[in-house]
Amino acid sequence: MFHHILGIEQLLREGIDVDKVNEDIEELIYKKENLKTVLRLICIQCIAADGLKPKVLEFYKKEIVQSYGYQHLITFDRLQKSDLLYQQEKTPRKSYPILRSTLNLTVSNVNEKDPNDIAYVHSGYAPLSVRLVNWMTQRSGLKYLADIVKHLPGPAFNDHQKLSSTQDRLDNSDNHTLVYFLGGYTY
């Protein structure tokens, strides 16, 4: 089952024919696969497809309520309020396809003998957080990321601290980047 779910995730990450996985997700619901796994796949599909078609969203909602219980209507409501699950709009956001191509999130030809890309660790997918940090350190901060950051949910800001005169005299030859994830990061 693990490899089947991994295959679905990889199809969604590639962004190719994201509606193709509807039957796979439906099968997982019928088999009463772990609800978190099913909801994660539905949310990934939603993000990769720039929203779910209204009929598909309603179908998933109905099937999950019938298979896992009516209490999960609240789960769907919370996922929609957090913008992880939403209907396709007439003017699509196209956030994930833009981020995928601009930041090179999916790498099809990973060198397995001499890996030199983080995508090697994640089956050809480079995590967005890693690519953002790489981009910022290579191009001097968020000012170059303005076009990319607008495709991410939530506010963004760039905070620079001034060094005191004592700190200015210290050797600044090594630049270090400290990344904070507020509100959680792991699954």
Side-chain angles (χ1 to χ4, degrees):
M1 188 59 65
F2 170 79
H3 292 289
H4 179 64
I5 292 170
L6 181 64
I8 295 169
E9 288 177 356
Q10 288 175 334
L11 280 173
L12 292 171
R13 283 195 309 246
E14 292 295 324
I16 304 168
D17 197 15
V18 291
D19 291 332
K20 183 179 180 182
V21 300
N22 289 355
E23 292 176 12
D24 293 319
I25 293 174
E26 180 181 349
E27 180 184 333
L28 292 173
I29 293 170
Y30 291 149
K31 289 182 177 180
K32 288 197 172 187
E33 183 62 37
N34 182 316
L35 180 62
K36 286 183 180 180
T37 301
V38 172
L39 290 174
R40 186 179 76 242
L41 289 173
I42 292 171
C43 290
I44 293 171
Q45 181 185 19
C46 181
I47 292 167
D50 222 11
L52 295 175
K53 295 175 183 169
K55 286 183 179 180
V56 172
L57 182 59
E58 285 305 312
F59 175 78
Y60 284 154
K61 191 182 294 187
K62 181 184 84 164
E63 294 302 316
I64 285 180
V65 166
Q66 287 179 353
S67 296
Y68 297 95
Y70 68 90
Q71 69 272 20
H72 293 293
L73 280 172
I74 295 170
T75 305
F76 265 87
D77 184 54
R78 289 179 179 161
L79 288 171
Q80 287 178 305
K81 284 182 180 175
S82 63
D83 215 18
L84 291 171
L85 203 54
Y86 49 90
Q87 288 185 8
Q88 283 182 343
E89 300 170 359
K90 291 181 181 177
T91 56
R93 304 174 189 189
K94 297 205 186 284
S95 300
Y96 180 71
I98 291 170
L99 291 171
R100 188 182 72 237
S101 63
T102 306
L103 295 174
N104 196 25
L105 296 179
T106 54
V107 179
S108 57
N109 52 356
V110 177
N111 185 350
E112 293 180 10
K113 294 189 193 281
D114 184 25
N116 58 358
D117 194 307
I118 190 69
Y120 171 77
V121 178
H122 299 280
S123 302
Y125 175 75
L128 177 64
S129 57
V130 173
R131 288 293 197 231
L132 286 173
V133 171
N134 284 347
W135 191 281
M136 288 188 324
T137 56
Q138 293 170 359
R139 292 178 174 77
S140 304
L142 281 176
K143 63 182 176 182
Y144 295 104
L145 272 179
D147 289 339
I148 294 170
V149 172
K150 71 181 179 186
H151 295 287
L152 297 173
F157 65 93
N158 190 0
D159 188 21
H160 244 117
Q161 293 181 339
K162 296 274 186 190
L163 298 174
S164 68
S165 59
T166 308
Q167 290 174 324
D168 282 337
R169 285 182 251 146
L170 297 174
D171 181 20
N172 287 335
S173 61
D174 291 337
N175 288 330
H176 298 284
T177 302
L178 181 62
V179 179
Y180 287 99
F181 291 100
L182 301 176
Y185 176 70
T186 60
Y187 171 71

